[in-house]
Amino acid sequence: MSTYKRATLDDEDPLDSLGDGDGYPNGFQVNFRGSRSSRECWAKWTRTEKQLVVLVGVLVVLLVACLLGLVFQYRARPPAVCLSEACISVTSSILSSLDRAVNPCEDFFSYACGGWIKANPLPDGHSRWGTFNNLWEHNQAIMKHLLENTTANVSSEAERKAQRYYQACMNESKIEELRATPLVELIQKLGGWNITGTWAGDNFNETLREVTAHYRTSPFFSVYVSADSKNSNSNVIQVDQSGLGLPSRDYYLNKTENEKVLTGYLNYMVQLGMFLGGTDEESTRQQMQQILDFETALANITIPQEKHRDEEVIYHKMTAGDLKELAPAVDWMPFLSTVFYPVELNESEPVVVYAKEYLEQVSDLILTTDKCLLNNYMIWNLVRKTSPLLDQRFRDAEEKFMEVMYGTKKSCLPRWKFCISDTDNNLGFALGAMFVKATFAEDSKQVAEEMIAEIKTAFEESLETLQWMDEETRKSAKEKADAIYNMIGYPKFIMDPKELDKVFNDYEAVSDLYFENVMQFYNFSARVTADQLRKPPNRDQWSMTPPTVNAYYSPTKNEIVFPAGILQAPFYTRASPKSLNFGGIGVVVGHELTHAFDDQGREYDKDGNLRPWWKNSSVEAFKRQTVCMVEQYGNYTVNGEAVNGKHTLGENIADNGGLKAAYRAYQNWLKKNGDEETLPTLGLTNYQLFFVGFAQVWCSVRTPESSHEGLITDPHSPSRFRVIGTVSNSQEFAEHFSCPPGSPMNPLKKCEVW
């Protein structure tokens, strides 16, 4: 073996070579002898040998010190900075939205969104504006191009029907030429309206059947087909409260606070009555006031939304025959047979009623109300629904009312935007096929699937650490989470031209008769609904169209749905840092997943059936956990008006659970993949970027009127509190932003459900 040589501090004799088997190739000797032998050996060594040994020891110590220094330097070194075009672009967007003058520990919403709010005054014609609206406008522009490009290679007749429907909506000259005639003729066909002419007389049940079955209105109550909550494999007729012209009962009952809206609504009613043939404004106003008073009586018996949440309490299954005893004012069997024609029904047909006391009271109200007023009210429901389909006078009148109702600044919204929204509402899956083919990258499905799997894993990890839940319920909850079905992008049938055409086979649209097209669609929709009654619920039947910028959880199907419209920036971008994607679409996924376990979703088992599958001890513990959140959000106010902590509870649980699951999933991703590059100039860590990305999804502005409407109708908290409510419950947020205990974003008392 060759001699191992190295530099020394002094001249020395070379070391003898080691015998075979006594050492390693690098020259280090292995010595197992005891200390006494070592001392004897040391005494025999020459001075030069001793100096050499000391020198080697010093060099070893220096080498170890250097290695440790390198390790610590590597650990302390900031992560690499991403300087790609995509990273520079997203950095610019984030930077322009921030307000660095605000302390993030004092008000994280203003810190994250202050710059955005200053740069985004409300556009004319809008009562609210935010990320969702911006993205929807982008999607609308794409749909406009697709619907107007009639020479494009569309692959199905259904898509051509969507184009013709849109063309008819855009045919303003024909609409202006017809003026109010289509609706006037329809009213005459239904027996007349005392406001605009002669009324045929006592035909209450006949008119109720017609306006409900053929024109999709819901005077007095709503009737529809959906999965039976206690037997989710079958559909059933369902009945619930309905019939108010304004968005909430509160508008009618708090008259002083809402006087401006009530006056604006009455003026709108009078204007429409006059356009449709009312000859005497005083008489028209008097009769419209009677309708408004009747709607106020309906509002008085309408159950408040926060008391209409517990489905275990409000679910009442009975037969169609039982309805006659419950609400005798309605001739139920002819009514249901007309609404669900041609399906054959008898008195043993099961019906689920969600507003039993309301139906009893509305029946009494009908029986004690003048028949002429009842007819005026039912026809008003039809007029309110169909007047936007008529000439410009009707749209101007509605716009004027919207100014009062929502505080919008007057502007002439481009006709094409109205027509895009209407086409999406009615033929959205035919239009959705075109949208998906033009915009949706198929590998986005794979990315979304991976994200959902990571969020599910994180949620289930949190489930394991919950202190308040018993083991048996925890096991069942994990099974439910595992069973949640993912629907991403679009329902499969829309990409098969034959299947898509089969769905829309019985609907026809012509290019120049918009009002008739819509009426035909109402009839077509009613037949589709009736057909579903004898079929099991279908996973391919979505509640949102593919271009929609939103997502949802279906409790009876135990599925989460993410339309193609939301799977894009700022929620998800392939080139963005993972911190932003987890803070964006990751929180959205976590939000929808948590809905399976909110105050309503938790009542459904893994198969989508409403049943008590929790142990009582865990039910009581859950309710105790939610009290904290009800109080927390109930203390937030907008313009002096409090958030309804009970009404918003489900969404607040989902917001908090979604943020927590997405954060944990991002942590897991980093453990698996290592640190990612950070963004330049921001001075934010990737964890801080996660929270900023989450908050900036909710940057928005609203008029005071729109904020008021949101507080009394929307089950979601206002955007500001969706941000500060969740981050102030997050210990991780407080740590990453070094928020002092007791600061607004790091309160000592935190609420947690999941």
Side-chain angles (χ1 to χ4, degrees):
M1 187 178 288
S2 61
T3 305
Y4 174 66
K5 294 187 177 181
R6 55 183 151 181
T8 63
L9 293 173
D10 202 356
D11 291 339
E12 58 184 355
D13 297 328
L15 285 170
D16 293 334
S17 61
L18 297 167
D20 288 345
D22 291 331
Y24 294 111
N26 63 6
F28 283 112
Q29 190 172 358
V30 181
N31 190 335
F32 294 103
R33 286 180 290 179
S35 57
R36 184 178 173 187
S37 300
S38 298
R39 285 195 298 271
E40 289 173 358
C41 184
W42 176 261
K44 292 177 182 177
W45 284 357
T46 65
R47 185 168 175 270
T48 303
E49 287 174 328
K50 290 177 181 178
Q51 287 176 335
L52 187 58
V53 168
V54 171
L55 181 61
V56 168
V58 171
L59 289 172
V60 168
V61 170
L62 287 172
L63 180 62
V64 170
C66 287
L67 287 171
L68 287 171
L70 285 170
V71 168
F72 286 123
Q73 186 181 0
Y74 176 78
R75 285 184 176 175
R77 189 180 67 188
V81 176
C82 177
L83 295 174
S84 68
E85 186 179 339
C87 285
I88 298 294
S89 175
V90 76
T91 299
S92 173
S93 173
I94 291 168
L95 199 55
S96 64
S97 295
L98 290 173
D99 184 351
R100 299 291 190 119
V102 177
N103 182 343
C105 297
E106 292 292 317
D107 181 349
F108 192 62
F109 180 77
S110 295
Y111 167 79
C113 293
W116 186 95
I117 290 168
K118 287 172 190 169
N120 286 273
L122 263 173
D124 283 353
H126 291 273
S127 61
R128 58 188 300 184
W129 188 257
T131 304
F132 287 77
N133 307 82
N134 216 7
L135 188 46
W136 173 241
E137 294 243 326
H138 167 76
N139 291 354
Q140 276 188 312
I142 293 168
M143 290 185 275
K144 179 178 187 285
H145 171 74
L146 294 168
L147 288 169
E148 291 179 352
N149 187 5
T150 52
T151 59
N153 183 25
V154 293
S155 55
S156 69
E157 180 59 26
E159 291 166 272
R160 281 185 280 274
K161 287 175 183 177
Q163 287 182 326
R164 289 198 293 273
Y165 184 95
Y166 174 77
Q167 287 163 11
C169 181
M170 289 296 290
N171 192 341
E172 291 181 86
S173 60
K174 184 68 175 178
I175 292 168
E176 291 301 317
E177 176 192 323
L178 292 171
R179 291 176 69 79
T181 304
L183 183 51
V184 169
E185 290 177 350
L186 178 56
I187 290 169
Q188 288 170 348
K189 180 183 165 187
L190 291 169
W193 194 24
N194 203 57
I195 288 168
T196 58
T198 55
W199 167 53
D202 185 3
N203 55 353
F204 169 74
N205 273 292
E206 184 185 340
T207 304
L208 178 61
R209 288 196 293 270
E210 286 295 310
V211 297
T212 305
H214 302 306
Y215 304 107
R216 278 175 63 177
T217 65
S218 301
F220 310 110
F221 49 82
S222 59
V223 183
Y224 52 97
V225 169
S226 192
D228 184 347
S229 292
K230 293 197 174 182
N231 181 19
S232 62
N233 289 323
S234 66
N235 283 317
V236 68
I237 296 171
Q238 305 189 14
V239 184
D240 206 346
Q241 60 188 17
S242 182
L244 301 180
L246 295 174
S248 166
R249 68 194 289 273
D250 295 61
Y251 281 104
Y252 299 91
L253 304 184
N254 300 326
K255 289 189 188 305
T256 306
E257 186 181 353
N258 297 296
E259 184 181 359
K260 192 170 78 167
V261 171
L262 290 168
T263 301
Y265 183 43
L266 180 59
N267 290 338
Y268 173 58
M269 296 168 84
V270 172
Q271 232 182 333
L272 264 54
M274 296 302 291
F275 290 159
L276 289 165
T279 52
D280 178 2
E281 185 170 334
E282 188 179 336
S283 169
T284 301
R285 183 170 293 276
Q286 183 186 353
Q287 291 189 79
M288 288 299 190
Q289 181 65 59
Q290 289 173 346
I291 295 173
L292 182 51
D293 291 342
F294 182 77
E295 288 189 5
T296 304
L298 284 177
N300 263 308
I301 61 174
T302 298
I303 301 160
Q305 288 167 311
E306 66 268 19
K307 293 182 180 177
H308 208 55
R309 291 184 60 80
D310 190 341
E311 198 155 343
E312 282 282 10
V313 174
I314 64 174
Y315 177 101
H316 299 285
K317 197 168 192 178
M318 57 186 71
T319 65
D322 295 332
L323 287 171
K324 191 167 186 178
E325 289 182 30
L326 182 68
V330 177
D331 198 350
W332 285 101
M333 285 315 300
F335 173 81
L336 293 173
S337 295
T338 305
V339 171
F340 297 108
Y341 177 84
V343 178
E344 290 188 12
L345 304 175
N346 58 43
E347 292 199 345
S348 65
E349 182 72 30
V351 178
V352 174
V353 174
Y354 281 112
K356 192 178 176 186
E357 295 79 8
Y358 171 84
L359 269 191
E360 289 173 331
Q361 291 176 296
V362 85
S363 178
D364 292 341
L365 185 60
I366 290 167
L367 291 171
T368 56
T369 299
D370 178 73
K371 295 290 190 291
C372 180
L373 174 53
L374 291 175
N375 189 76
N376 279 352
Y377 163 73
M378 288 188 287
I379 300 298
W380 165 246
N381 271 258
L382 178 68
V383 168
R384 178 81 172 89
K385 186 178 182 70
T386 58
S387 61
L389 313 175
L390 302 174
D391 63 272
Q392 190 64 43
R393 294 172 302 157
F394 291 88
R395 293 197 296 277
D396 288 344
E398 183 174 45
E399 198 171 85
K400 191 174 181 182
F401 174 50
M402 290 298 107
E403 286 179 47
V404 176
M405 179 88 203
Y406 295 105
T408 50
K409 293 177 185 173
K410 183 173 174 61
S411 79
C412 191
L413 189 73
R415 176 72 182 176
W416 70 266
K417 288 188 177 181
F418 169 83
C419 293
I420 291 290
S421 293
D422 190 52
T423 308
D424 181 55
N425 283 336
N426 291 341
L427 299 174
F429 291 101
L431 173 55
M434 302 166 77
F435 179 83
V436 166
K437 284 183 285 187
T439 66
F440 191 64
E442 275 304 313
D443 59 355
S444 295
K445 269 196 173 186
Q446 178 64 32
V447 172
E449 288 280 8
E450 290 170 6
M451 175 74 77
I452 291 168
E454 289 169 316
I455 302 288
K456 265 190 193 177
T457 299
F459 181 85
E460 290 178 10
E461 287 172 359
S462 293
L463 201 58
E464 291 298 322
T465 63
L466 283 182
Q467 300 295 311
W468 55 265
M469 182 175 266
D470 72 272
E471 287 307 315
E472 188 180 328
T473 306
R474 191 195 314 274
K475 183 173 177 250
S476 298
K478 184 181 183 305
E479 287 173 2
K480 180 177 181 179
D482 285 336
I484 291 174
Y485 194 82
N486 312 326
M487 300 292 274
I488 299 163
Y490 53 88
K492 289 179 185 175
F493 79 89
I494 71 168
M495 301 313 286
D496 182 336
K498 288 182 181 176
E499 287 298 311
L500 187 60
D501 281 342
K502 195 188 296 182
V503 169
F504 290 99
N505 184 58
D506 294 334
Y507 176 69
E508 286 303 328
V510 293
S511 300
D512 58 351
L513 293 174
Y514 177 50
F515 191 92
E516 276 69 16
N517 283 346
V518 178
M519 297 306 108
Q520 286 297 322
F521 181 79
Y522 290 165
N523 270 296
F524 163 74
S525 176
R527 299 293 73 79
V528 170
T529 299
D531 185 55
Q532 289 167 0
L533 185 56
R534 295 291 181 253
K535 292 179 179 177
N538 180 359
R539 283 206 185 277
D540 247 8
Q541 187 183 340
W542 284 26
S543 299
M544 287 179 183
T545 63
T548 305
V549 185
N550 213 329
Y552 69 93
Y553 168 73
S554 168
T556 54
K557 294 178 182 176
N558 195 27
E559 71 178 11
I560 46 181
V561 180
F562 303 96
I566 200 170
L567 298 175
Q568 51 188 320
F571 298 95
Y572 165 75
T573 312
R574 178 181 298 281
S576 285
K578 285 285 183 179
S579 56
L580 292 179
N581 285 337
F582 275 99
I585 196 66
V587 174
V588 173
V589 170
H591 174 99
E592 299 308 335
L593 184 69
T594 308
H595 268 313
F597 302 92
D598 69 15
D599 62 314
Q600 293 178 302
R602 70 154 198 87
E603 295 185 328
Y604 293 79
D605 66 14
K606 66 184 177 67
D607 299 315
N609 290 313
L610 183 70
R611 69 176 183 87
W613 58 280
W614 288 38
K615 277 197 167 181
N616 287 338
S617 60
S618 285
V619 172
E620 292 308 311
F622 174 86
K623 288 179 179 176
R624 285 195 296 272
Q625 296 296 119
T626 63
V627 167
C628 177
M629 216 164 264
V630 170
E631 290 176 354
Q632 176 196 357
Y633 285 85
N635 283 323
Y636 294 137
T637 60
V638 180
N639 302 322
E641 189 175 1
V643 173
N644 187 329
K646 289 181 180 176
H647 179 45
T648 57
L649 177 60
E651 296 297 338
N652 296 335
I653 291 171
D655 281 345
N656 281 267
L659 184 71
K660 182 179 176 182
Y663 175 84
R664 187 165 192 147
Y666 180 51
Q667 270 189 318
N668 291 345
W669 187 90
L670 288 173
K671 285 174 190 172
K672 183 179 176 182
N673 297 281
D675 285 342
E676 59 174 336
E677 292 179 326
T678 190
L679 294 179
T681 74
L682 293 173
L684 296 171
T685 68
N686 280 319
Y687 278 122
Q688 289 175 324
L689 206 54
F690 166 86
F691 288 105
V692 168
F694 153 70
Q696 290 189 344
V697 161
W698 297 110
C699 294
S700 61
V701 286
R702 282 181 99 153
T703 63
E705 294 87 349
S706 174
S707 293
H708 170 65
E709 188 267 344
L711 286 171
I712 60 179
T713 63
D714 195 346
H716 303 86
S717 290
S719 296
R720 170 179 177 76
F721 303 120
R722 297 189 76 168
V723 173
I724 68 172
T726 47
V727 299
S728 63
N729 285 328
S730 168
Q731 189 58 46
E732 293 79 11
F733 169 84
E735 288 168 5
H736 289 302
F737 282 90
S738 303
C739 295
S743 60
M745 298 298 102
N746 186 19
L748 299 178
K749 181 184 178 183
K750 288 180 164 51
C751 302
E752 181 183 69
V753 178
W754 295 104

